[in-house]
Amino acid sequence: MRRHEFQPGRLIAGLVLTAAGVLYLLDATGEADLPWFLVVPMAAGGLVLASFVGMVTYAVRRDRRSLSDPAYGADRADRSERRDRMRESSE
């Protein structure tokens, strides 16, 4: 398999949903008696946490990319300069 970027948001989502599946399996076999209102919020909260971690990871990687690639930062600076000139000309 080719190497790929580590994606912590997907890891968290997978672990939380696996844990929810194991809890449902334990409940189905009679090993544990869990009410549904414990497992469903756990899965939903885990997905919210995973999405937050994914957004933070994206923001950090985007920021690092802009620092390491001068062309990326220059393009952003050019766009902001053009936007400023457009604002000044419209006033």
Side-chain angles (χ1 to χ4, degrees):
M1 179 194 299
R2 268 185 8 184
R3 292 188 61 106
H4 58 279
E5 290 183 334
F6 175 63
Q7 298 177 340
R10 289 186 180 192
L11 175 66
I12 291 173
L15 290 175
V16 167
L17 293 177
T18 300
V22 167
L23 289 175
Y24 270 122
L25 180 66
L26 289 174
D27 188 39
T29 59
E31 297 294 322
D33 186 25
L34 300 169
W36 67 269
F37 54 85
L38 290 180
V39 179
V40 172
M42 182 189 79
L47 290 176
V48 168
L49 177 66
S51 66
F52 178 72
V53 169
M55 288 187 293
V56 169
T57 303
Y58 173 75
V60 168
R61 287 183 179 163
R62 186 185 69 202
D63 190 41
R64 284 188 184 168
R65 192 175 335 136
S66 69
L67 292 176
S68 66
D69 186 8
Y72 181 78
D75 182 45
R76 291 179 63 191
D78 289 342
R79 281 186 278 158
S80 65
E81 286 176 16
R82 277 186 263 142
R83 185 178 43 231
D84 292 341
R85 276 187 263 139
M86 289 177 71
R87 283 183 187 158
E88 289 173 1
S89 65
S90 65
E91 292 177 350

